[in-house]
Amino acid sequence: CLPAALNKLDIKQLEAIVEHNCSYEKGDHLYRQKANFKSVYAVRSGSFKSYAFRYNGKERVNGFFFPGEIIGMDGISNRSHINAIQALEHASACEIPFSKLENLSHQIPDLQHHFLTLMGKEITNDKEFHDLLSSYTAEERVAHFLINLSSRCERVSLSPFRLLLPMTRSDIGEYLGLSLETISRIFGKLHRKGLIAVNNREIELLQMEPLLKIAGCAPK
């Protein structure tokens, strides 16, 4: 739940303000859309998805969270959450009251820097995601999604080549702005090219360099 960059004394102070370490079953909500903003949450285990209901009542998946990542910063500006957060599997998260975190960050410059960095990354990720939806082809979007997931798995010492997808293909399609049929077609296409192997929800990345090129993460 806690940033590894802090020293032992700072971590002890941060530990003292963590109020809950809660477990969630698949389908449970961490919070609902438009809930009052009180806390941020650090994912301890498992995974969560972020979604919101559009004006027509349809659900739109707009993010996924994995161990070591922070949930809840969408509520900082307006003091209410613009998204709902739902567990994709058995998962746990630590609740950190934001008012206490703000007070503590004034005492610990490294902590303040850590959360400012996180917020900066979130802004960058939002821009990259909008670029992805506006200018990438379906194949490029799927490849980018797999490469991004691979790097996040590697960051928490999981295999970057064997990805066990906790989300459904429908969730992936909602996230990438593609239909379920298109997601299945692209997975099949990448499989036939020998770039990935697909076994239900397990995706093995067989050739990283071609995937990186398709995703726009390396020179073509």
Side-chain angles (χ1 to χ4, degrees), residues 159-207:
S159 171
F161 306 113
R162 286 185 176 272
L163 312 177
L164 186 60
L165 305 181
M167 69 292 289
T168 65
R169 291 188 184 186
S170 180
D171 284 337
I172 297 171
E174 281 286 338
Y175 177 62
L176 295 177
L178 302 171
S179 68
L180 174 59
E181 293 76 15
T182 300
I183 294 294
S184 297
R185 178 174 59 81
I186 298 299
F187 277 172
K189 183 179 179 181
L190 295 175
H191 176 77
R192 288 190 298 274
K193 285 182 176 181
L195 305 186
I196 66 173
V198 182
N199 181 15
N200 293 323
R201 289 198 181 185
E202 184 177 88
I203 306 289
E204 184 177 2
L205 308 186
L206 300 175
Q207 297 191 55

mmCIF file of all heavy atoms in Angstrom, residues 159-207:
data_model
loop_
_atom_site.group_PDB
_atom_site.id
_atom_site.type_symbol
_atom_site.label_atom_id
_atom_site.label_comp_id
_atom_site.label_asym_id
_atom_site.label_seq_id
_atom_site.Cartn_x
_atom_site.Cartn_y
_atom_site.Cartn_z
ATOM 1 N N SER A 159 5.148 -11.760 -14.612
ATOM 2 C CA SER A 159 5.699 -11.988 -15.938
ATOM 3 C C SER A 159 5.182 -10.945 -16.923
ATOM 4 O O SER A 159 3.969 -10.750 -17.032
ATOM 5 C CB SER A 159 5.325 -13.386 -16.438
ATOM 6 O OG SER A 159 5.679 -13.521 -17.812
ATOM 7 N N PRO A 160 6.080 -10.281 -17.668
ATOM 8 C CA PRO A 160 5.628 -9.327 -18.681
ATOM 9 C C PRO A 160 5.226 -10.009 -19.991
ATOM 10 O O PRO A 160 4.772 -9.344 -20.923
ATOM 11 C CB PRO A 160 6.861 -8.437 -18.887
ATOM 12 C CG PRO A 160 8.013 -9.337 -18.593
ATOM 13 C CD PRO A 160 7.545 -10.296 -17.522
ATOM 14 N N PHE A 161 5.399 -11.318 -20.071
ATOM 15 C CA PHE A 161 5.118 -12.047 -21.311
ATOM 16 C C PHE A 161 3.886 -12.946 -21.226
ATOM 17 O O PHE A 161 3.259 -13.238 -22.239
ATOM 18 C CB PHE A 161 6.335 -12.885 -21.707
ATOM 19 C CG PHE A 161 7.601 -12.084 -21.807
ATOM 20 C CD1 PHE A 161 8.644 -12.296 -20.915
ATOM 21 C CD2 PHE A 161 7.740 -11.093 -22.767
ATOM 22 C CE1 PHE A 161 9.810 -11.548 -21.002
ATOM 23 C CE2 PHE A 161 8.900 -10.338 -22.859
ATOM 24 C CZ PHE A 161 9.938 -10.566 -21.967
ATOM 25 N N ARG A 162 3.538 -13.391 -20.034
ATOM 26 C CA ARG A 162 2.329 -14.199 -19.848
ATOM 27 C C ARG A 162 1.315 -13.366 -19.070
ATOM 28 O O ARG A 162 1.484 -13.164 -17.868
ATOM 29 C CB ARG A 162 2.641 -15.496 -19.109
ATOM 30 C CG ARG A 162 3.363 -16.525 -19.959
ATOM 31 C CD ARG A 162 3.540 -17.844 -19.192
ATOM 32 N NE ARG A 162 4.147 -18.857 -20.026
ATOM 33 C CZ ARG A 162 3.471 -19.688 -20.812
ATOM 34 N NH1 ARG A 162 2.153 -19.603 -20.869
ATOM 35 N NH2 ARG A 162 4.087 -20.590 -21.546
ATOM 36 N N LEU A 163 0.304 -12.887 -19.739
ATOM 37 C CA LEU A 163 -0.665 -11.983 -19.134
ATOM 38 C C LEU A 163 -1.971 -12.730 -18.874
ATOM 39 O O LEU A 163 -2.581 -13.263 -19.813
ATOM 40 C CB LEU A 163 -0.933 -10.793 -20.062
ATOM 41 C CG LEU A 163 0.288 -10.078 -20.660
ATOM 42 C CD1 LEU A 163 -0.159 -8.970 -21.600
ATOM 43 C CD2 LEU A 163 1.191 -9.539 -19.565
ATOM 44 N N LEU A 164 -2.369 -12.781 -17.621
ATOM 45 C CA LEU A 164 -3.669 -13.349 -17.279
ATOM 46 C C LEU A 164 -4.646 -12.186 -17.148
ATOM 47 O O LEU A 164 -4.583 -11.419 -16.188
ATOM 48 C CB LEU A 164 -3.587 -14.151 -15.977
ATOM 49 C CG LEU A 164 -4.848 -14.924 -15.585
ATOM 50 C CD1 LEU A 164 -5.210 -15.948 -16.658
ATOM 51 C CD2 LEU A 164 -4.670 -15.621 -14.244
ATOM 52 N N LEU A 165 -5.524 -12.049 -18.122
ATOM 53 C CA LEU A 165 -6.410 -10.886 -18.176
ATOM 54 C C LEU A 165 -7.541 -11.036 -17.161
ATOM 55 O O LEU A 165 -8.385 -11.928 -17.311
ATOM 56 C CB LEU A 165 -6.993 -10.721 -19.578
ATOM 57 C CG LEU A 165 -5.990 -10.631 -20.735
ATOM 58 C CD1 LEU A 165 -6.728 -10.440 -22.050
ATOM 59 C CD2 LEU A 165 -4.994 -9.512 -20.514
ATOM 60 N N PRO A 166 -7.625 -10.162 -16.158
ATOM 61 C CA PRO A 166 -8.724 -10.243 -15.192
ATOM 62 C C PRO A 166 -10.026 -9.667 -15.743
ATOM 63 O O PRO A 166 -11.100 -9.941 -15.233
ATOM 64 C CB PRO A 166 -8.218 -9.408 -14.006
ATOM 65 C CG PRO A 166 -7.305 -8.404 -14.633
ATOM 66 C CD PRO A 166 -6.666 -9.105 -15.799
ATOM 67 N N MET A 167 -9.902 -8.850 -16.769
ATOM 68 C CA MET A 167 -11.086 -8.214 -17.366
ATOM 69 C C MET A 167 -11.597 -9.059 -18.540
ATOM 70 O O MET A 167 -10.861 -9.871 -19.105
ATOM 71 C CB MET A 167 -10.770 -6.797 -17.833
ATOM 72 C CG MET A 167 -9.839 -6.678 -19.025
ATOM 73 S SD MET A 167 -8.103 -7.173 -18.733
ATOM 74 C CE MET A 167 -7.570 -5.808 -17.684
ATOM 75 N N THR A 168 -12.856 -8.879 -18.909
ATOM 76 C CA THR A 168 -13.431 -9.593 -20.042
ATOM 77 C C THR A 168 -13.034 -8.894 -21.340
ATOM 78 O O THR A 168 -12.601 -7.737 -21.344
ATOM 79 C CB THR A 168 -14.966 -9.631 -19.946
ATOM 80 O OG1 THR A 168 -15.460 -8.289 -20.048
ATOM 81 C CG2 THR A 168 -15.425 -10.247 -18.625
ATOM 82 N N ARG A 169 -13.226 -9.586 -22.450
ATOM 83 C CA ARG A 169 -12.966 -8.958 -23.747
ATOM 84 C C ARG A 169 -13.947 -7.817 -23.998
ATOM 85 O O ARG A 169 -13.623 -6.842 -24.665
ATOM 86 C CB ARG A 169 -13.050 -10.001 -24.860
ATOM 87 C CG ARG A 169 -11.902 -10.997 -24.808
ATOM 88 C CD ARG A 169 -11.874 -11.904 -26.013
ATOM 89 N NE ARG A 169 -10.827 -12.906 -25.878
ATOM 90 C CZ ARG A 169 -10.492 -13.777 -26.827
ATOM 91 N NH1 ARG A 169 -11.154 -13.761 -27.980
ATOM 92 N NH2 ARG A 169 -9.531 -14.655 -26.623
ATOM 93 N N SER A 170 -15.140 -7.959 -23.432
ATOM 94 C CA SER A 170 -16.117 -6.879 -23.537
ATOM 95 C C SER A 170 -15.615 -5.627 -22.820
ATOM 96 O O SER A 170 -15.767 -4.506 -23.324
ATOM 97 C CB SER A 170 -17.457 -7.331 -22.946
ATOM 98 O OG SER A 170 -18.408 -6.298 -23.031
ATOM 99 N N ASP A 171 -15.003 -5.805 -21.627
ATOM 100 C CA ASP A 171 -14.408 -4.684 -20.896
ATOM 101 C C ASP A 171 -13.302 -4.025 -21.722
ATOM 102 O O ASP A 171 -13.204 -2.791 -21.788
ATOM 103 C CB ASP A 171 -13.810 -5.155 -19.562
ATOM 104 C CG ASP A 171 -14.857 -5.434 -18.507
ATOM 105 O OD1 ASP A 171 -15.967 -4.889 -18.606
ATOM 106 O OD2 ASP A 171 -14.552 -6.199 -17.566
ATOM 107 N N ILE A 172 -12.458 -4.854 -22.340
ATOM 108 C CA ILE A 172 -11.364 -4.328 -23.159
ATOM 109 C C ILE A 172 -11.931 -3.524 -24.321
ATOM 110 O O ILE A 172 -11.443 -2.442 -24.651
ATOM 111 C CB ILE A 172 -10.460 -5.468 -23.669
ATOM 112 C CG1 ILE A 172 -9.786 -6.193 -22.495
ATOM 113 C CG2 ILE A 172 -9.384 -4.921 -24.622
ATOM 114 C CD1 ILE A 172 -9.056 -7.461 -22.894
ATOM 115 N N GLY A 173 -12.987 -4.068 -24.940
ATOM 116 C CA GLY A 173 -13.614 -3.360 -26.046
ATOM 117 C C GLY A 173 -14.190 -2.026 -25.624
ATOM 118 O O GLY A 173 -14.006 -1.014 -26.316
ATOM 119 N N GLU A 174 -14.877 -2.005 -24.485
ATOM 120 C CA GLU A 174 -15.429 -0.748 -23.956
ATOM 121 C C GLU A 174 -14.312 0.264 -23.719
ATOM 122 O O GLU A 174 -14.458 1.453 -24.014
ATOM 123 C CB GLU A 174 -16.189 -1.012 -22.658
ATOM 124 C CG GLU A 174 -17.573 -1.572 -22.838
ATOM 125 C CD GLU A 174 -18.569 -0.530 -23.339
ATOM 126 O OE1 GLU A 174 -18.311 0.669 -23.147
ATOM 127 O OE2 GLU A 174 -19.567 -0.924 -23.947
ATOM 128 N N TYR A 175 -13.207 -0.214 -23.173
ATOM 129 C CA TYR A 175 -12.079 0.662 -22.848
ATOM 130 C C TYR A 175 -11.443 1.243 -24.113
ATOM 131 O O TYR A 175 -11.106 2.432 -24.159
ATOM 132 C CB TYR A 175 -11.049 -0.129 -22.045
ATOM 133 C CG TYR A 175 -9.797 0.628 -21.699
ATOM 134 C CD1 TYR A 175 -9.837 1.771 -20.904
ATOM 135 C CD2 TYR A 175 -8.550 0.200 -22.159
ATOM 136 C CE1 TYR A 175 -8.682 2.473 -20.575
ATOM 137 C CE2 TYR A 175 -7.390 0.880 -21.832
ATOM 138 C CZ TYR A 175 -7.460 2.019 -21.047
ATOM 139 O OH TYR A 175 -6.311 2.699 -20.736
ATOM 140 N N LEU A 176 -11.305 0.404 -25.137
ATOM 141 C CA LEU A 176 -10.608 0.827 -26.349
ATOM 142 C C LEU A 176 -11.540 1.409 -27.413
ATOM 143 O O LEU A 176 -11.086 1.787 -28.489
ATOM 144 C CB LEU A 176 -9.838 -0.360 -26.942
ATOM 145 C CG LEU A 176 -8.697 -0.918 -26.083
ATOM 146 C CD1 LEU A 176 -8.074 -2.136 -26.756
ATOM 147 C CD2 LEU A 176 -7.636 0.143 -25.814
ATOM 148 N N GLY A 177 -12.853 1.458 -27.102
ATOM 149 C CA GLY A 177 -13.791 1.978 -28.074
ATOM 150 C C GLY A 177 -13.995 1.053 -29.260
ATOM 151 O O GLY A 177 -14.209 1.509 -30.393
ATOM 152 N N LEU A 178 -13.915 -0.255 -29.000
ATOM 153 C CA LEU A 178 -14.064 -1.261 -30.050
ATOM 154 C C LEU A 178 -15.141 -2.266 -29.649
ATOM 155 O O LEU A 178 -15.406 -2.457 -28.463
ATOM 156 C CB LEU A 178 -12.738 -2.004 -30.274
ATOM 157 C CG LEU A 178 -11.526 -1.137 -30.665
ATOM 158 C CD1 LEU A 178 -10.256 -1.975 -30.625
ATOM 159 C CD2 LEU A 178 -11.720 -0.527 -32.047
ATOM 160 N N SER A 179 -15.729 -2.927 -30.627
ATOM 161 C CA SER A 179 -16.742 -3.938 -30.332
ATOM 162 C C SER A 179 -16.077 -5.227 -29.852
ATOM 163 O O SER A 179 -14.885 -5.462 -30.096
ATOM 164 C CB SER A 179 -17.576 -4.232 -31.577
ATOM 165 O OG SER A 179 -16.783 -4.890 -32.551
ATOM 166 N N LEU A 180 -16.849 -6.058 -29.177
ATOM 167 C CA LEU A 180 -16.367 -7.361 -28.734
ATOM 168 C C LEU A 180 -15.879 -8.179 -29.923
ATOM 169 O O LEU A 180 -14.832 -8.844 -29.848
ATOM 170 C CB LEU A 180 -17.495 -8.110 -28.006
ATOM 171 C CG LEU A 180 -17.229 -9.552 -27.582
ATOM 172 C CD1 LEU A 180 -16.047 -9.635 -26.644
ATOM 173 C CD2 LEU A 180 -18.476 -10.144 -26.933
ATOM 174 N N GLU A 181 -16.610 -8.130 -31.039
ATOM 175 C CA GLU A 181 -16.229 -8.879 -32.239
ATOM 176 C C GLU A 181 -14.877 -8.399 -32.778
ATOM 177 O O GLU A 181 -14.048 -9.208 -33.210
ATOM 178 C CB GLU A 181 -17.305 -8.727 -33.320
ATOM 179 C CG GLU A 181 -18.633 -9.379 -32.997
ATOM 180 C CD GLU A 181 -19.464 -8.594 -31.980
ATOM 181 O OE1 GLU A 181 -19.148 -7.398 -31.728
ATOM 182 O OE2 GLU A 181 -20.420 -9.180 -31.432
ATOM 183 N N THR A 182 -14.636 -7.078 -32.716
ATOM 184 C CA THR A 182 -13.365 -6.526 -33.208
ATOM 185 C C THR A 182 -12.203 -6.969 -32.328
ATOM 186 O O THR A 182 -11.132 -7.329 -32.835
ATOM 187 C CB THR A 182 -13.431 -4.985 -33.275
ATOM 188 O OG1 THR A 182 -14.481 -4.598 -34.161
ATOM 189 C CG2 THR A 182 -12.115 -4.404 -33.771
ATOM 190 N N ILE A 183 -12.402 -6.959 -31.011
ATOM 191 C CA ILE A 183 -11.355 -7.423 -30.095
ATOM 192 C C ILE A 183 -10.995 -8.870 -30.409
ATOM 193 O O ILE A 183 -9.805 -9.222 -30.523
ATOM 194 C CB ILE A 183 -11.814 -7.295 -28.624
ATOM 195 C CG1 ILE A 183 -11.998 -5.826 -28.244
ATOM 196 C CG2 ILE A 183 -10.812 -7.974 -27.676
ATOM 197 C CD1 ILE A 183 -10.722 -5.009 -28.235
ATOM 198 N N SER A 184 -11.992 -9.732 -30.553
ATOM 199 C CA SER A 184 -11.749 -11.146 -30.859
ATOM 200 C C SER A 184 -11.044 -11.298 -32.210
ATOM 201 O O SER A 184 -10.133 -12.120 -32.348
ATOM 202 C CB SER A 184 -13.064 -11.926 -30.864
ATOM 203 O OG SER A 184 -13.667 -11.901 -29.582
ATOM 204 N N ARG A 185 -11.453 -10.489 -33.185
ATOM 205 C CA ARG A 185 -10.828 -10.557 -34.511
ATOM 206 C C ARG A 185 -9.359 -10.146 -34.458
ATOM 207 O O ARG A 185 -8.493 -10.799 -35.059
ATOM 208 C CB ARG A 185 -11.599 -9.660 -35.490
ATOM 209 C CG ARG A 185 -10.997 -9.618 -36.889
ATOM 210 C CD ARG A 185 -11.884 -8.839 -37.844
ATOM 211 N NE ARG A 185 -12.105 -7.465 -37.412
ATOM 212 C CZ ARG A 185 -11.236 -6.479 -37.605
ATOM 213 N NH1 ARG A 185 -10.074 -6.717 -38.200
ATOM 214 N NH2 ARG A 185 -11.523 -5.252 -37.212
ATOM 215 N N ILE A 186 -9.048 -9.076 -33.712
ATOM 216 C CA ILE A 186 -7.663 -8.601 -33.618
ATOM 217 C C ILE A 186 -6.800 -9.606 -32.863
ATOM 218 O O ILE A 186 -5.658 -9.885 -33.257
ATOM 219 C CB ILE A 186 -7.583 -7.217 -32.946
ATOM 220 C CG1 ILE A 186 -8.347 -6.167 -33.769
ATOM 221 C CG2 ILE A 186 -6.130 -6.789 -32.756
ATOM 222 C CD1 ILE A 186 -7.828 -5.957 -35.164
ATOM 223 N N PHE A 187 -7.317 -10.179 -31.766
ATOM 224 C CA PHE A 187 -6.573 -11.217 -31.064
ATOM 225 C C PHE A 187 -6.261 -12.376 -32.014
ATOM 226 O O PHE A 187 -5.147 -12.909 -32.027
ATOM 227 C CB PHE A 187 -7.369 -11.730 -29.863
ATOM 228 C CG PHE A 187 -7.237 -10.888 -28.618
ATOM 229 C CD1 PHE A 187 -8.029 -11.145 -27.507
ATOM 230 C CD2 PHE A 187 -6.338 -9.855 -28.536
ATOM 231 C CE1 PHE A 187 -7.920 -10.386 -26.358
ATOM 232 C CE2 PHE A 187 -6.209 -9.072 -27.393
ATOM 233 C CZ PHE A 187 -7.005 -9.345 -26.300
ATOM 234 N N GLY A 188 -7.269 -12.773 -32.806
ATOM 235 C CA GLY A 188 -7.068 -13.855 -33.768
ATOM 236 C C GLY A 188 -6.020 -13.496 -34.806
ATOM 237 O O GLY A 188 -5.187 -14.333 -35.183
ATOM 238 N N LYS A 189 -6.046 -12.260 -35.281
ATOM 239 C CA LYS A 189 -5.088 -11.793 -36.293
ATOM 240 C C LYS A 189 -3.668 -11.811 -35.737
ATOM 241 O O LYS A 189 -2.731 -12.297 -36.397
ATOM 242 C CB LYS A 189 -5.472 -10.389 -36.746
ATOM 243 C CG LYS A 189 -4.597 -9.821 -37.859
ATOM 244 C CD LYS A 189 -5.080 -8.429 -38.270
ATOM 245 C CE LYS A 189 -4.208 -7.842 -39.355
ATOM 246 N NZ LYS A 189 -4.672 -6.466 -39.748
ATOM 247 N N LEU A 190 -3.485 -11.301 -34.524
ATOM 248 C CA LEU A 190 -2.160 -11.286 -33.904
ATOM 249 C C LEU A 190 -1.671 -12.709 -33.623
ATOM 250 O O LEU A 190 -0.477 -12.992 -33.715
ATOM 251 C CB LEU A 190 -2.191 -10.463 -32.612
ATOM 252 C CG LEU A 190 -2.475 -8.957 -32.765
ATOM 253 C CD1 LEU A 190 -2.599 -8.287 -31.392
ATOM 254 C CD2 LEU A 190 -1.387 -8.273 -33.594
ATOM 255 N N HIS A 191 -2.617 -13.593 -33.290
ATOM 256 C CA HIS A 191 -2.282 -14.995 -33.055
ATOM 257 C C HIS A 191 -1.796 -15.654 -34.349
ATOM 258 O O HIS A 191 -0.780 -16.358 -34.355
ATOM 259 C CB HIS A 191 -3.509 -15.729 -32.513
ATOM 260 C CG HIS A 191 -3.306 -17.196 -32.314
ATOM 261 N ND1 HIS A 191 -2.602 -17.713 -31.250
ATOM 262 C CD2 HIS A 191 -3.707 -18.266 -33.056
ATOM 263 C CE1 HIS A 191 -2.581 -19.038 -31.333
ATOM 264 N NE2 HIS A 191 -3.246 -19.391 -32.430
ATOM 265 N N ARG A 192 -2.495 -15.410 -35.457
ATOM 266 C CA ARG A 192 -2.108 -16.001 -36.740
ATOM 267 C C ARG A 192 -0.761 -15.470 -37.220
ATOM 268 O O ARG A 192 -0.016 -16.172 -37.907
ATOM 269 C CB ARG A 192 -3.190 -15.728 -37.798
ATOM 270 C CG ARG A 192 -4.469 -16.533 -37.578
ATOM 271 C CD ARG A 192 -5.408 -16.429 -38.762
ATOM 272 N NE ARG A 192 -5.860 -15.065 -39.006
ATOM 273 C CZ ARG A 192 -6.901 -14.509 -38.410
ATOM 274 N NH1 ARG A 192 -7.599 -15.178 -37.497
ATOM 275 N NH2 ARG A 192 -7.263 -13.270 -38.694
ATOM 276 N N LYS A 193 -0.447 -14.226 -36.862
ATOM 277 C CA LYS A 193 0.856 -13.659 -37.213
ATOM 278 C C LYS A 193 1.987 -14.224 -36.358
ATOM 279 O O LYS A 193 3.162 -13.970 -36.631
ATOM 280 C CB LYS A 193 0.829 -12.130 -37.027
ATOM 281 C CG LYS A 193 0.078 -11.368 -38.103
ATOM 282 C CD LYS A 193 0.179 -9.868 -37.814
ATOM 283 C CE LYS A 193 -0.460 -9.030 -38.907
ATOM 284 N NZ LYS A 193 -0.336 -7.572 -38.620
ATOM 285 N N GLY A 194 1.629 -14.968 -35.315
ATOM 286 C CA GLY A 194 2.639 -15.533 -34.423
ATOM 287 C C GLY A 194 3.168 -14.558 -33.391
ATOM 288 O O GLY A 194 4.205 -14.790 -32.771
ATOM 289 N N LEU A 195 2.451 -13.457 -33.185
ATOM 290 C CA LEU A 195 2.897 -12.439 -32.225
ATOM 291 C C LEU A 195 2.414 -12.736 -30.814
ATOM 292 O O LEU A 195 3.071 -12.348 -29.838
ATOM 293 C CB LEU A 195 2.417 -11.051 -32.659
ATOM 294 C CG LEU A 195 2.806 -10.607 -34.068
ATOM 295 C CD1 LEU A 195 2.380 -9.160 -34.298
ATOM 296 C CD2 LEU A 195 4.293 -10.784 -34.302
ATOM 297 N N ILE A 196 1.253 -13.374 -30.695
ATOM 298 C CA ILE A 196 0.717 -13.742 -29.389
ATOM 299 C C ILE A 196 0.141 -15.154 -29.459
ATOM 300 O O ILE A 196 -0.152 -15.670 -30.547
ATOM 301 C CB ILE A 196 -0.388 -12.769 -28.898
ATOM 302 C CG1 ILE A 196 -1.645 -12.863 -29.799
ATOM 303 C CG2 ILE A 196 0.129 -11.335 -28.826
ATOM 304 C CD1 ILE A 196 -2.841 -12.064 -29.274
ATOM 305 N N ALA A 197 -0.002 -15.774 -28.286
ATOM 306 C CA ALA A 197 -0.739 -17.035 -28.162
ATOM 307 C C ALA A 197 -1.906 -16.773 -27.224
ATOM 308 O O ALA A 197 -1.739 -16.116 -26.188
ATOM 309 C CB ALA A 197 0.165 -18.133 -27.613
ATOM 310 N N VAL A 198 -3.073 -17.251 -27.582
ATOM 311 C CA VAL A 198 -4.292 -16.975 -26.813
ATOM 312 C C VAL A 198 -4.852 -18.273 -26.261
ATOM 313 O O VAL A 198 -5.090 -19.229 -27.002
ATOM 314 C CB VAL A 198 -5.359 -16.285 -27.688
ATOM 315 C CG1 VAL A 198 -6.594 -15.951 -26.856
ATOM 316 C CG2 VAL A 198 -4.799 -15.032 -28.346
ATOM 317 N N ASN A 199 -5.048 -18.297 -24.942
ATOM 318 C CA ASN A 199 -5.679 -19.449 -24.285
ATOM 319 C C ASN A 199 -6.696 -18.909 -23.288
ATOM 320 O O ASN A 199 -6.355 -18.622 -22.141
ATOM 321 C CB ASN A 199 -4.632 -20.315 -23.603
ATOM 322 C CG ASN A 199 -5.240 -21.545 -22.937
ATOM 323 O OD1 ASN A 199 -6.392 -21.908 -23.215
ATOM 324 N ND2 ASN A 199 -4.489 -22.182 -22.050
ATOM 325 N N ASN A 200 -7.944 -18.745 -23.757
ATOM 326 C CA ASN A 200 -8.995 -18.113 -22.947
ATOM 327 C C ASN A 200 -8.529 -16.733 -22.501
ATOM 328 O O ASN A 200 -8.278 -15.885 -23.337
ATOM 329 C CB ASN A 200 -9.380 -19.016 -21.772
ATOM 330 C CG ASN A 200 -10.059 -20.292 -22.227
ATOM 331 O OD1 ASN A 200 -10.829 -20.274 -23.186
ATOM 332 N ND2 ASN A 200 -9.755 -21.404 -21.575
ATOM 333 N N ARG A 201 -8.339 -16.530 -21.187
ATOM 334 C CA ARG A 201 -7.935 -15.200 -20.705
ATOM 335 C C ARG A 201 -6.420 -15.050 -20.575
ATOM 336 O O ARG A 201 -5.937 -13.992 -20.182
ATOM 337 C CB ARG A 201 -8.599 -14.903 -19.358
ATOM 338 C CG ARG A 201 -10.093 -14.658 -19.478
ATOM 339 C CD ARG A 201 -10.608 -13.949 -18.247
ATOM 340 N NE ARG A 201 -12.047 -13.718 -18.337
ATOM 341 C CZ ARG A 201 -12.733 -13.035 -17.444
ATOM 342 N NH1 ARG A 201 -12.116 -12.519 -16.387
ATOM 343 N NH2 ARG A 201 -14.031 -12.860 -17.571
ATOM 344 N N GLU A 202 -5.673 -16.080 -20.900
ATOM 345 C CA GLU A 202 -4.213 -15.958 -20.850
ATOM 346 C C GLU A 202 -3.686 -15.582 -22.221
ATOM 347 O O GLU A 202 -3.980 -16.245 -23.211
ATOM 348 C CB GLU A 202 -3.563 -17.257 -20.383
ATOM 349 C CG GLU A 202 -2.044 -17.104 -20.242
ATOM 350 C CD GLU A 202 -1.375 -18.361 -19.705
ATOM 351 O OE1 GLU A 202 -1.023 -19.226 -20.528
ATOM 352 O OE2 GLU A 202 -1.214 -18.468 -18.482
ATOM 353 N N ILE A 203 -2.916 -14.497 -22.269
ATOM 354 C CA ILE A 203 -2.286 -14.039 -23.502
ATOM 355 C C ILE A 203 -0.772 -14.119 -23.314
ATOM 356 O O ILE A 203 -0.224 -13.530 -22.377
ATOM 357 C CB ILE A 203 -2.665 -12.572 -23.821
ATOM 358 C CG1 ILE A 203 -4.184 -12.384 -23.851
ATOM 359 C CG2 ILE A 203 -2.021 -12.136 -25.135
ATOM 360 C CD1 ILE A 203 -4.875 -13.002 -25.022
ATOM 361 N N GLU A 204 -0.105 -14.869 -24.186
ATOM 362 C CA GLU A 204 1.353 -14.931 -24.142
ATOM 363 C C GLU A 204 1.901 -14.054 -25.262
ATOM 364 O O GLU A 204 1.526 -14.210 -26.429
ATOM 365 C CB GLU A 204 1.842 -16.362 -24.312
ATOM 366 C CG GLU A 204 3.354 -16.481 -24.170
ATOM 367 C CD GLU A 204 3.852 -17.921 -24.268
ATOM 368 O OE1 GLU A 204 3.024 -18.832 -24.478
ATOM 369 O OE2 GLU A 204 5.066 -18.118 -24.139
ATOM 370 N N LEU A 205 2.769 -13.116 -24.909
ATOM 371 C CA LEU A 205 3.391 -12.236 -25.889
ATOM 372 C C LEU A 205 4.642 -12.929 -26.420
ATOM 373 O O LEU A 205 5.618 -13.104 -25.693
ATOM 374 C CB LEU A 205 3.745 -10.889 -25.253
ATOM 375 C CG LEU A 205 2.596 -10.177 -24.507
ATOM 376 C CD1 LEU A 205 3.043 -8.791 -24.054
ATOM 377 C CD2 LEU A 205 1.350 -10.064 -25.374
ATOM 378 N N LEU A 206 4.599 -13.317 -27.688
ATOM 379 C CA LEU A 206 5.658 -14.143 -28.263
ATOM 380 C C LEU A 206 6.740 -13.317 -28.954
ATOM 381 O O LEU A 206 7.911 -13.698 -28.947
ATOM 382 C CB LEU A 206 5.054 -15.133 -29.272
ATOM 383 C CG LEU A 206 4.011 -16.101 -28.713
ATOM 384 C CD1 LEU A 206 3.406 -16.923 -29.845
ATOM 385 C CD2 LEU A 206 4.621 -17.010 -27.653
ATOM 386 N N GLN A 207 6.357 -12.213 -29.573
ATOM 387 C CA GLN A 207 7.320 -11.372 -30.285
ATOM 388 C C GLN A 207 7.079 -9.915 -29.911
ATOM 389 O O GLN A 207 6.169 -9.270 -30.431
ATOM 390 C CB GLN A 207 7.182 -11.558 -31.798
ATOM 391 C CG GLN A 207 7.493 -12.968 -32.283
ATOM 392 C CD GLN A 207 7.600 -13.021 -33.793
ATOM 393 O OE1 GLN A 207 8.373 -12.282 -34.412
ATOM 394 N NE2 GLN A 207 6.825 -13.895 -34.400
#
